[in-house]
Amino acid sequence: MVGGVVTKVGSLDSNKTGSWRSFRPVIDREKCIGCGLCKKFCPDVCIEIKDKKAEVDYDYCKGCLICKSVCPVQAISSEEEEK
Amino acid sequence: MSSEVISSGHSACAGCGEIIGERMVLEALGKDVIVCQATGCMEITTTPYPRTAFKVPWLHVTFENAASAASGIVEADRKLGRNTTVVAIGGDGGMMDIGVRALSGVMERGHDLMLVVTDNEAYMNTGIQRSSGTPKYAATTTTPAGSVVPGKREWKKSISRIAIAHGIPYVATASIGFPEDLVAKVKKAQGIKGPKLLHIYTPCPVGWGYDSSKTVYYAKKIVETGLWPLYEIENGKLTISQRPTFAPLEEYFTGQKRYKHIKPEHIKEVSERVKAGWKELEKQEKAGVDLMLLP
Ligand SMILES: Cc1ncc(C[n+]2csc(CCOP(=O)(O)OP(=O)(O)O)c2C)c(N)n1
Ligand code: SF4
Ligand code: SF4
Ligand code: SF4
Ligand SMILES: [Mg+2]
């Protein structure tokens, strides 16, 4: 017996979780070495490495700041979100 | 934005370690998989019907029988002449407590399954109740720390030792703090026929009461203290993956509300257990003997 079937994969991306954020991670592109560690650990899979620099998708970033804590060169700072 | 296996937009709490573990496992396994997920945070936060964060075939199974459902799927898959990787995955509650009978059944019957425990050391989805994976002295809503009883009274259960007692070909522990080790173990397990179990440490900022940015810190620190040993047991033979530096346990306990009440005598007791446990692990590794010779 099957209760329900969902065929549109990854369709939960319509849920914009960026509104949860209290703190915003800010990437210093000068400092970023593109190592990808932040991306590896981001629980919300909202970091991409483009042209060897990390970029955050603020539509989904919940502001946990794991990225900031794992960055080996302190390229990520944080700012409080305005309400 | 998203990964190959899971999209953004899921509702796991900010800083969730369990969803990091779930993704790392599934990314390592690739697309030819069928995932049977026990109820728990990883189901509730990813699949509010009619939507899903998953991009691989994924089934929600009840709290207690992810392993049983997976065993039926893998047998059907093999009858069809396929070789899909079938995964049963669940939390400590789902796999170590209520689902342990189903888990034991599939291990004893020898189905070709990946069995994955994403351990956040309590029933988080229902409000932080203790499980057999909750460590001694941790406060949960059902093991509160008071003036007489300092949190949970029992030691954490070893699900990997229970697994190996079934004589299965592969058992390993991992932590999301060491992704390369975790991924290597998942891939190795995938290449082995029969039941294989991975026990993965996945910190939970909400249930443990720590700042969400520190998930990876705790996932690394517990390994460094020796409290979460990383090892593999292949055909009964134990190999240690990484030797701890035996960092002071305080560095791990501090900053977690669930251990706020912990006293030096408790830490001493845990530290003695770590020492004794490591002596035993080293002995077993050196002896190289089959850990499940006779009943
Ligand atoms: C038979 C049954 N009992 C109780 C529940 C309620 N329940 C749902 S998830 C859950 C706890 C899950 O804990 P765990 O497996 O550790 O996963 P986590 O939420 O921590 O990720 C409980 C008790 C249920 N769904 N089914
Ligand atoms: S703050 Fe958290 S969710 Fe946002 S980009 Fe960093 S790791 Fe991802
Ligand atoms: S961890 Fe730091 S250096 Fe590495 S990609 Fe992310 S921001 Fe750049
Ligand atoms: S309660 Fe813990 S395990 Fe559950 S979604 Fe939140 S952080 Fe993750
Ligand atoms: Mg749990």
Side-chain angles (χ1 to χ4, degrees), chain A residues 2-70:
Chain A
V2 177
V5 181
V6 178
T7 51
K8 194 166 177 300
V9 298
S11 48
L12 198 51
D13 62 5
S14 58
N15 188 32
K16 300 283 168 68
T17 52
S19 61
W20 295 21
R21 200 170 51 244
S22 313
F23 291 92
R24 161 186 289 255
V26 179
I27 296 178
D28 183 337
R29 294 180 59 91
E30 298 291 302
K31 282 194 193 161
C32 174
I33 54 169
C35 71
L37 260 190
C38 52
K39 176 184 159 92
K40 189 173 273 182
F41 288 110
C42 173
D44 291 286
V45 287
C46 60
I47 301 179
E48 274 321 325
I49 309 295
K50 285 186 197 148
D51 303 325
K52 299 200 175 120
K53 302 286 169 191
E55 271 179 35
V56 175
D57 185 341
Y58 294 107
D59 277 352
Y60 299 106
C61 166
K62 293 173 188 157
C64 67
L65 301 182
I66 286 179
C67 51
K68 180 183 171 188
S69 79
V70 299

Side-chain angles (χ1 to χ4, degrees), chain B residues 103-135:
Chain B
L103 191 67
S104 174
V106 305
M107 291 192 287
E108 190 269 332
R109 294 195 300 273
H111 299 284
D112 189 18
L113 289 174
M114 293 281 302
L115 306 163
V116 183
V117 187
T118 48
D119 189 356
N120 56 17
E121 308 195 311
Y123 293 22
M124 295 310 176
N125 180 59
T126 41
I128 327 172
Q129 293 85 12
R130 62 89 86 187
S131 78
S132 58
T134 304

Side-chain angles (χ1 to χ4, degrees), chain B residues 37-58:
Chain B
Q37 176 87 53
T39 303
C41 282
M42 292 303 97
E43 175 251 326
I44 298 295
T45 61
T46 54
T47 53
Y49 189 76
R51 291 182 294 169
T52 178
F54 289 105
K55 299 180 172 185
V56 292
W58 181 97

Side-chain angles (χ1 to χ4, degrees), chain B residues 193-236:
Chain B
K193 219 175 146 44
K196 41 264 164 183
L197 181 130
L198 278 131
H199 187 192
I200 305 180
Y201 184 72
T202 62
C204 165
V206 171
W208 302 3
Y210 65 81
D211 184 89
S212 63
S213 67
K214 291 184 78 181
T215 292
V216 177
Y217 169 86
Y218 287 118
K220 281 187 203 284
K221 190 53 81 179
I222 194 168
V223 173
E224 289 164 9
T225 63
L227 191 54
W228 187 273
L230 297 182
Y231 58 78
E232 298 176 287
I233 306 174
E234 262 185 283
N235 296 314

